[in-house]
Amino acid sequence: MDIFQRLFIWLFVSCLSLGFALGQSFTTPLPIPPLLEGSTLNLRIHEGNHHFFPSVSTPTIGMNEMDYLGPTLLFKKGDSTHIRVANDLNEMVTVHWHGLNVPASLDGTHANMIPAGKVWKPDYLINNLACTMWYHSHRHGMVMNQVNRGLAGMIIIQDDVEAQLPLPRTYGVDDFPLVLQDRAFEPDAKLKVQMMGNRHTMNGAIEPVLECPAQVVRFRILDGANARVYQLGFSDNRTFHQIGTDGGLVEAPIPLSRVTLSNGERAELLLDLSGQKVGDTLYLMNYASELGDGVIGGPKVFDVNFNPLDTTDMPLLKIVVGAKKSQAITSIPSSLVPIDFIPASASNNYRKKVIDPEVAGEPMTIDGKLYNMMRVDDTVILGSTEIWEFENQSSVAHPMHLHDVQFQVLDRDGRTPPANERGWKDVVLVHPFENVRIISRFLNFADSNHAYMWHCHNLHHEDDGMMYQFIVIDTVKKQPVDTVITSVEPLEAIKVHVFPTPVQEQLSVVAEGIGEKTELIVLDVLGQEVIRQKALGQQKIYTGDLKDGVYFLLLEDDSTGRFVVQKIVKGGG
Ligand code: C2O
Ligand code: CU
Ligand code: CU
């Protein structure tokens, strides 16, 4: 089939499909998620019914007042933040702070399962530079499922340096969050859980329109899709400027006509509309046809179904120019922030990771391994500077992501990366048969009991096991044996110690901070209760009947609302 035949079939199918039948075409105002700020942030995760299509609703997951996705969290560098994540769903979730430098015990992965009906209360300091980050489900095996339904949101971090720069930063006025996703819909508008969607969405809207004032505006763009990589540009092929990468601002605005974003990556762009007339229009486009070999979302991939969205350049957002606001930014600054570049010579450790050739029908692997919660893949010494090299032997591009740190891309096949990758990053797209080297410092949060993840951010690959874990250990100081996972009021929090691990027949549990009514519950990985008894402070529980695998020990006290979750492993060893 050539591209014209594909296009013809796509047009035919589209005309029959819901969106077209209901006449959507860039008339829905782009939803702007509300800002959530302050020293205590309450995030409530609940079921939603979202109108992707005007007259039919789709079952989704929403947070706070939103019925799909969540509010934008606003953090300031140096602030201490108290977050209360209430899970009103009937399933376990986790919430991961993608890009943030937080302790592994609060990173929102399997150590932080939030059972149905519970509130998780992580407290942490905001260490990162001004940038755009995001939060999303990280419940292993369910990430694509839960993110697909809407368990994700944006994070904006501000700092004093960024505050001094002449940049647009009035949220929803000249500074806009854009969450790019594609979603697959059934004919009755229900969401399908699959890698590639059949409609583009932005902030949960299909074919939205945004009025932007006739001045410089800032777009904080996230590729929040399951697997799709975007090739962004504007319909008049104009030059725009990239000012930020995943983890911070760049040294000076970078003039571009295209920017590629892979899963999990963010870019902050400046779009100069200062010379435009009120009523002018243009489109933010996905130039999918330009994506190269093996890049999912483009025309040259052979392991995923072809989709019209992969082969056809399509508008994502209509922009209508409106009146200029007072105190408008009307020019692009010439410089931004100095970046502390880490020289390759500063590295004192090197790791090579080989992305294995794909095998039809099998999950993708790295170094021949799939994810295993019981295995620590990499141990990093606190204070070290490391180079990690990803050698991709597969014919598919993989967006590789490390938790905990921001890194810098040293080179791609030995060559200096493009200007818009010379900055702080936490995701790097590794192309087919390419070698990419990154460098990072691991300066804080040593904890031998809690791991950080590193993985491919294609959510399907990640859920299938293309994920690994590293711990950061302090070889000078002795490590605490166990760590408090949830602490609201640290003195009163429940702490739990379990041994042995892995467990066979009998698990010893020693708990502090429990009350009369604290219960001890063991959940399997699906969140099903397998054991429930009164918590005693010191007790042994019989685990001989449990199948080998991973479980979660939950101590909860409904009268105080306090709980702690600890992973336990049965058998294996
Ligand atoms: Cu977006 Cu493991 O994270
Ligand atoms: Cu992450
Ligand atoms: Cu991958």
Side-chain angles (χ1 to χ4, degrees):
M1 242 193 324
D2 67 19
I3 187 119
F4 293 104
Q5 282 171 300
R6 276 203 196 101
L7 189 61
F8 177 78
I9 291 170
W10 171 69
L11 285 172
F12 183 74
V13 171
S14 306
C15 292
L16 298 174
S17 87
L18 203 53
F20 273 70
L22 295 171
Q24 292 187 330
S25 53
F26 300 98
T27 52
T28 309
L30 180 77
I32 303 295
L35 271 186
L36 190 59
E37 54 186 313
S39 64
T40 300
L41 305 184
N42 290 297
L43 202 58
R44 190 174 67 84
I45 304 171
H46 55 80
E47 283 171 11
N49 273 301
H50 182 65
H51 281 275
F52 288 102
F53 304 98
S55 56
V56 48
S57 69
T58 300
T60 47
I61 296 176
M63 283 168 268
N64 297 8
E65 57 268 73
M66 297 178 70
D67 53 21
Y68 177 78
L69 304 176
T72 299
L73 313 186
L74 182 65
F75 292 146
K76 191 149 186 271
K77 184 176 191 297
D79 280 0
S80 67
T81 304
H82 311 274
I83 307 184
R84 307 290 173 256
V85 188
N87 176 12
D88 285 358
L89 300 174
N90 282 318
E91 62 198 281
M92 289 213 278
V93 300
T94 75
V95 176
H96 165 58
W97 321 104
H98 178 124
L100 264 74
N101 174 234
V102 297
S105 60
L106 302 175
D107 198 32
T109 59
H110 57 255
N112 307 124
M113 285 284 194
I114 316 173
K118 296 293 157 205
V119 185
W120 176 45
K121 301 169 178 173
D123 297 341
Y124 51 73
L125 249 144
I126 306 302
N127 288 327
N128 290 85
L129 300 172
C131 67
T132 303
M133 293 188 170
W134 64 306
Y135 58 97
H136 61 80
S137 163
H138 217 292
R139 177 173 158 195
H140 184 57
M142 287 288 284
V143 178
M144 181 160 85
N145 181 305
Q146 293 183 335
V147 172
N148 193 69
R149 281 182 285 157
L151 215 172
M154 281 283 209
I155 297 174
I156 294 176
I157 301 181
Q158 299 181 326
D159 67 19
D160 294 342
V161 179
E162 191 268 350
Q164 298 305 312
L165 295 169
L167 290 173
R169 66 174 69 78
T170 311
Y171 186 77
V173 174
D174 60 6
D175 183 348
F176 303 98
L178 308 181
V179 181
L180 306 187
Q181 295 174 317
D182 56 320
R183 288 294 174 256
F185 293 95
E186 306 275 8
D188 65 355
K190 287 214 178 57
L191 286 164
K192 282 199 250 185
V193 185
Q194 60 182 45
M195 281 168 77
M196 306 306 283
N198 50 26
R199 305 309 297 260
H200 288 298
T201 69
M202 189 182 288
N203 298 354
I206 294 176
E207 300 189 342
V209 58
L210 176 67
E211 187 179 298
C212 290
Q215 61 197 61
V216 175
V217 297
R218 180 177 189 167
F219 286 163
R220 300 172 183 266
I221 310 185
L222 160 70
D223 179 345
N226 297 342
R228 179 175 300 283
V229 178
Y230 293 83
Q231 174 80 345
L232 302 170
F234 292 93
S235 48
D236 55 3
N237 271 318
R238 68 172 58 214
T239 298
F240 56 89
H241 289 82
Q242 182 167 352
I243 56 167
T245 52
D246 302 330
L249 296 172
V250 291
E251 292 196 297
I254 301 156
L256 297 168
S257 60
R258 293 288 188 269
V259 65
T260 309
L261 278 189
S262 67
N263 315 100
E265 279 186 300
R266 289 85 66 206
E268 290 188 23
L269 309 182
L270 293 183
L271 171 65
D272 188 355
L273 298 172
S274 57
Q276 309 274 163
K277 289 195 297 297
V278 172
D280 281 358
T281 61
L282 73 154
Y283 290 85
L284 174 62
M285 299 285 296
N286 182 30
Y287 290 102
S289 69
E290 297 172 6
L291 287 171
D293 288 351
V295 179
I296 296 182
K300 292 171 226 144
V301 184
F302 301 103
D303 83 327
V304 283
N305 291 343
F306 258 123
N307 181 316
L309 271 58
D310 307 342
T311 50
T312 319
D313 297 339
M314 283 190 198
L316 302 173
L317 173 72
K318 181 179 184 180
I319 296 162
V320 180
V321 178
K324 187 171 133 188
K325 309 274 179 187
S326 59
Q327 295 181 326
I329 303 289
T330 53
S331 63
I332 307 288
S334 56
S335 69
L336 296 167
V337 297
I339 292 178
D340 165 24
F341 286 105
I342 312 171
S345 59
S347 157
N348 51 15
N349 200 16
Y350 162 81
R351 295 170 203 268
K352 179 159 180 174
K353 307 293 180 190
V354 177
I355 301 172
D356 302 314
E358 67 273 28
V359 179
E362 297 286 319
M364 293 293 319
T365 56
I366 296 180
D367 295 331
K369 294 184 288 186
L370 286 173
Y371 178 62
N372 183 343
M373 273 190 204
M374 292 146 76
R375 183 188 68 224
V376 171
D377 299 280
D378 297 277
T379 299
V380 176
I381 310 281
L382 182 70
S384 52
T385 301
E386 298 203 344
I387 292 177
W388 290 35
E389 175 173 355
F390 294 105
E391 177 181 325
N392 188 356
Q393 295 187 354
S394 81
S395 61
V396 180
H398 300 274
M400 298 308 305
H401 169 51
L402 267 67
H403 288 210
D404 179 26
V405 290
Q406 291 294 319
F407 55 73
Q408 292 167 358
V409 181
L410 276 179
D411 43 37
R412 289 182 171 276
D413 282 338
R415 286 186 294 274
T416 312
N420 67 337
E421 286 188 328
R422 273 174 254 144
W424 293 109
K425 301 274 303 156
D426 55 53
V427 178
V428 64
L429 184 64
V430 184
H431 288 88
F433 311 109
E434 189 183 31
N435 271 46
V436 175
R437 293 196 311 156
I438 60 169
I439 188 164
S440 190
R441 300 188 185 108
F442 299 78
L443 299 179
N444 53 12
F445 302 133
D447 180 348
S448 50
N449 288 296
H450 293 96
Y452 290 108
M453 306 296 129
W454 64 270
H455 58 93
C456 173
H457 218 293
N458 173 313
L459 302 184
H460 178 66
H461 292 177
E462 170 185 348
D463 276 335
D464 262 10
M466 198 180 183
M467 179 160 86
Y468 309 88
Q469 32 192 18
F470 69 94
I471 55 170
V472 178
I473 59 160
D474 186 342
T475 49
V476 180
K477 263 195 250 143
K478 263 214 137 309
Q479 292 298 299
V481 176
D482 269 312
T483 311
V484 186
I485 294 176
T486 295
S487 69
V488 199
E489 303 87 11
L491 291 175
E492 295 173 49
I494 299 176
K495 298 182 197 188
V496 63
H497 309 263
V498 292
F499 51 92
T501 175
V503 62
Q504 304 295 341
E505 296 264 290
Q506 198 177 56
L507 182 74
S508 295
V509 181
V510 179
E512 292 166 39
I514 61 167
E516 278 292 289
K517 297 215 171 74
T518 310
E519 294 207 87
L520 180 159
I521 299 156
V522 178
L523 304 166
D524 66 14
V525 281
L526 299 175
Q528 312 289 0
E529 220 176 277
V530 290
I531 294 173
R532 176 187 284 263
Q533 51 188 249
K534 191 172 158 28
L536 300 175
Q538 275 206 22
Q539 67 207 103
K540 296 193 194 310
I541 51 177
Y542 177 66
T543 48
D545 290 340
L546 302 181
K547 287 201 224 81
D548 285 4
V550 174
Y551 294 85
F552 298 94
L553 175 74
L554 166 67
L555 281 121
E556 65 170 353
D557 194 320
D558 275 337
S559 56
T560 59
R562 282 184 270 139
F563 71 95
V564 65
V565 184
Q566 167 89 48
K567 182 185 72 172
I568 52 179
V569 175
K570 167 75 193 295

